[in-house]
Amino acid sequence: MTSNSHLTRRGFMGASVALTALLASGSGLLAEGGKALTIAYNLPVQSWDPTTGPSAVNPALQSIFLAVFDRYIAQGPDLSFGPGLLTEWGFSEDKTKITMTVREGVKWHNGDDFTPEDIVWSLERAGNPETGNPMQFVWGKIGNYVIDGNVITADVLAFEPALFKWMAFLTAFVLPKKYYEEVGAEGFEKAPVGTGPYMVDAFEQGAYVRLKAFPDYWGDAPAFETVTVKFVTDAASRVAEVESGNSDITTNIPYEEYDRLIAKDGLSGEAVPVTDIGMIFLNDIDVMLDKNVRLAAHHAINKQLIIDRLLRGYGVPISTLEVPGYAAYDDSIQVEYDPEKAKDLLAASGYSTDNPVKFTIQTTRGFKPKDYEMIQAVVGMWRKVGIEAEIEVYEIAKHYELRAADTLAPAAFYNWGNSIGDPSTSTGFSMFGPSPHAVWDSADLVEKIGPLFVEPDEDKRIAGYKAVSKYIAEEGYVIPLLQYVMPVVFASNVTVTPYTSGDLLPQAVGQA
């Protein structure tokens, strides 16, 4: 690594002292000529390896990873797929092989040349169960790579219909083989190297990351030379950041604050439906083993009222984990708000308002707009029909920890991101028991979803997922709440390109 392109850990820490003092002072960070940008972000980076551990599958962190690293396949603001570090890709006609053409003329941040070996090493590492890639069960389905010039071929070990969609999704980042093997995992955390438009210039855990434009980036040069991303987990503090001018952009704030801020001189905003959904995971433990309790909990929730009252109308009520725009969305599947039906279901199991069923529901507070308040409203609606739920607040990192260990409470609020719109990455991985991302583990869903992961007939695969969605709704195995609208507020002297994926990319911010 060259000394002028990256900071060592000592450089990280030395720079952090000065920058932390600047952040604490409340002074803005815009440089002369507007060549610096400051973003108040709702989630801190925990790790700089975007392919391993819980951070790798957190949709909210992809925006920052995408500033530093490139995926195999890129995705546009409208979710369309396009060339990334691969320029061409596809299955053979008999689906037994894949072919990938590698982009030429790309440099790593440390000055090394990017090569097809980096692609193969990244894919082999992702497919190795020992490396800790949460999506290993996807990447392990291809192997026996052969490199010929800038073309890579590989065998299909197990057919994955959405393989190339996955190459534009979670954990699908290419890392530098030579550099990573030189410095190891610990060294990479101290000084990460990617091929993206920005290099990591300074980083303080839990506080901020400062990004510096990479002069040899293969794509369009970003508009800002320096981007500082402050990690501001409290929504009110993010509002204050952008209102005071200390930050140029923020997101995931309460919608009433969004409406108030965009009416002010000097501020603008975008609010677009994104692929993220709010949902309540149900765990197959305790009272949730009672179908009547599960269905009653769903029928008792007035989703549209929550959207209107708490989100000022910014949201779309949903009954399945597939939303408009997803490949397996079926608007005929509806779980209606019906509190009287909820009472009857509970009564059939011996529960009532005088003898309520009791359980815990977990939620974040301030991670997504009105997340805690929404669960408060849900608990209030439940109380009216005979459900007494106790709210437990935790950080989003704790959710991932508990979900990985399958120790979530009987109910847990979560936001699920699915920017590729494929049913395997929504209903599939969230409801298939063996998946590390699932909470409900019943054998019936394993039997119904398992074959769909390898179904080669696309029409049958989509129809199968629609049937599974209907079955899940009838059994009450999960409570989908709403499709999010993501609010972004920004200074009027910048422009922001909204991504339907929910990504807020520093390189997609321009100067007005």
Side-chain angles (χ1 to χ4, degrees), residues 36-90:
L37 179 75
T38 304
I39 300 172
Y41 206 66
N42 64 323
L43 187 67
V45 173
Q46 303 291 341
S47 167
W48 282 106
D49 184 340
T51 69
T52 61
S55 294
V57 291
N58 188 333
L61 285 175
Q62 304 306 303
S63 298
I64 299 175
F65 291 151
L66 283 164
V68 178
F69 307 98
D70 285 312
R71 287 178 174 148
Y72 304 97
I73 295 172
Q75 194 172 30
D78 62 351
L79 306 184
S80 60
F81 300 103
L85 291 178
L86 299 180
T87 57
E88 294 179 307
W89 55 88

Side-chain angles (χ1 to χ4, degrees), residues 117-131:
E117 284 78 8
D118 294 310
I119 294 282
V120 170
W121 178 81
S122 295
L123 285 169
E124 288 181 333
R125 178 173 177 266
N128 183 349
E130 297 178 2
T131 60

Side-chain angles (χ1 to χ4, degrees), residues 202-223:
F203 172 63
E204 183 167 308
Q205 189 84 37
Y208 74 94
V209 59
R210 187 174 66 214
L211 305 173
K212 182 180 179 181
F214 178 41
D216 294 324
Y217 179 55
W218 59 268
D220 294 335

Side-chain angles (χ1 to χ4, degrees), residues 380-396:
M381 294 171 182
W382 281 346
R383 190 177 299 116
K384 293 178 180 178
V385 300
I387 298 173
E388 184 177 315
E390 179 181 353
I391 300 176
E392 177 187 325
V393 176
Y394 57 10
E395 296 295 324
I396 190 64

Side-chain angles (χ1 to χ4, degrees), residues 257-295:
E257 293 286 17
Y258 171 80
D259 286 342
R260 181 181 69 82
L261 289 172
I262 63 173
K264 295 175 68 74
D265 290 340
L267 292 175
S268 300
E270 293 275 0
V272 295
V274 295
T275 53
D276 282 12
I277 67 169
M279 61 185 286
I280 298 174
F281 271 122
L282 300 181
N283 202 352
D284 51 324
I285 58 173
D286 305 336
V287 297
M288 288 307 168
L289 294 172
D290 186 332
K291 178 179 176 180
N292 289 334
V293 171
R294 299 193 304 267
L295 289 174

Side-chain angles (χ1 to χ4, degrees), residues 243-375:
E243 188 167 16
S244 66
N246 287 338
S247 291
D248 303 298
I249 304 174
T250 196
T251 186
N252 284 306
I253 60 174
Y255 295 100
E256 66 271 18
E257 293 286 17
Y258 171 80
D259 286 342
R260 181 181 69 82
L261 289 172
I262 63 173
K264 295 175 68 74
D265 290 340
L267 292 175
S268 300
E270 293 275 0
V272 295
V274 295
T275 53
D276 282 12
I277 67 169
M279 61 185 286
I280 298 174
F281 271 122
L282 300 181
N283 202 352
D284 51 324
I285 58 173
D286 305 336
V287 297
M288 288 307 168
L289 294 172
D290 186 332
K291 178 179 176 180
N292 289 334
V293 171
R294 299 193 304 267
L295 289 174
H298 200 167
H299 284 295
I301 301 173
N302 188 336
K303 301 169 188 176
Q304 189 62 56
L305 183 65
I306 290 173
I307 292 169
D308 291 342
R309 294 281 178 85
L310 291 177
L311 308 184
R312 299 175 71 88
Y314 291 107
V316 180
I318 56 175
S319 292
T320 74
L321 300 179
E322 310 295 320
V323 303
Y326 283 17
Y329 174 65
D330 183 348
D331 63 2
S332 72
I333 304 170
Q334 297 291 330
V335 179
E336 302 294 345
Y337 168 58
D338 190 341
E340 294 306 314
K341 184 173 184 178
K343 290 178 182 178
D344 291 342
L345 287 164
L346 290 170
S349 290
Y351 300 113
S352 66
T353 52
D354 293 327
N355 179 39
V357 60
K358 299 179 181 181
F359 57 84
T360 297
I361 181 169
Q362 295 163 320
T363 182
T364 50
R365 186 170 190 167
F367 176 63
K368 297 292 284 186
K370 298 293 185 182
D371 45 8
Y372 177 73
E373 291 82 358
M374 280 196 286
I375 295 307

Side-chain angles (χ1 to χ4, degrees), residues 81-251:
F81 300 103
L85 291 178
L86 299 180
T87 57
E88 294 179 307
W89 55 88
F91 286 105
S92 61
E93 188 172 344
D94 63 2
K95 303 291 195 299
T96 62
K97 289 187 178 294
I98 63 168
T99 302
M100 302 173 285
T101 303
V102 179
R103 184 180 294 278
E104 297 180 286
V106 176
K107 291 281 189 181
W108 291 103
H109 292 163
N110 66 343
D112 289 348
D113 289 331
F114 162 75
T115 68
E117 284 78 8
D118 294 310
I119 294 282
V120 170
W121 178 81
S122 295
L123 285 169
E124 288 181 333
R125 178 173 177 266
N128 183 349
E130 297 178 2
T131 60
N133 187 305
M135 301 303 173
Q136 179 275 331
F137 51 87
V138 172
W139 307 120
K141 293 180 178 179
I142 47 177
N144 303 322
Y145 297 90
V146 176
I147 298 173
D148 182 7
N150 70 326
V151 175
I152 301 169
T153 55
D155 291 337
V156 174
L157 307 179
F159 181 62
E160 168 55 62
L163 175 66
F164 293 113
K165 291 182 181 180
W166 270 106
M167 289 192 178
F169 197 37
L170 304 175
T171 77
F173 292 97
V174 183
L175 300 187
K177 176 181 187 292
K178 177 185 173 185
Y179 175 73
Y180 193 97
E181 291 180 338
E182 286 175 356
V183 302
E186 185 177 346
F188 193 83
E189 285 293 340
K190 292 179 179 178
V193 164
T195 57
Y198 284 102
M199 305 177 289
V200 177
D201 190 42
F203 172 63
E204 183 167 308
Q205 189 84 37
Y208 74 94
V209 59
R210 187 174 66 214
L211 305 173
K212 182 180 179 181
F214 178 41
D216 294 324
Y217 179 55
W218 59 268
D220 294 335
F224 294 92
E225 177 67 24
T226 302
V227 176
T228 300
V229 182
K230 299 182 187 179
F231 304 137
V232 186
T233 57
D234 178 66
S237 298
R238 291 196 298 277
V239 170
E241 279 285 325
V242 75
E243 188 167 16
S244 66
N246 287 338
S247 291
D248 303 298
I249 304 174
T250 196
T251 186

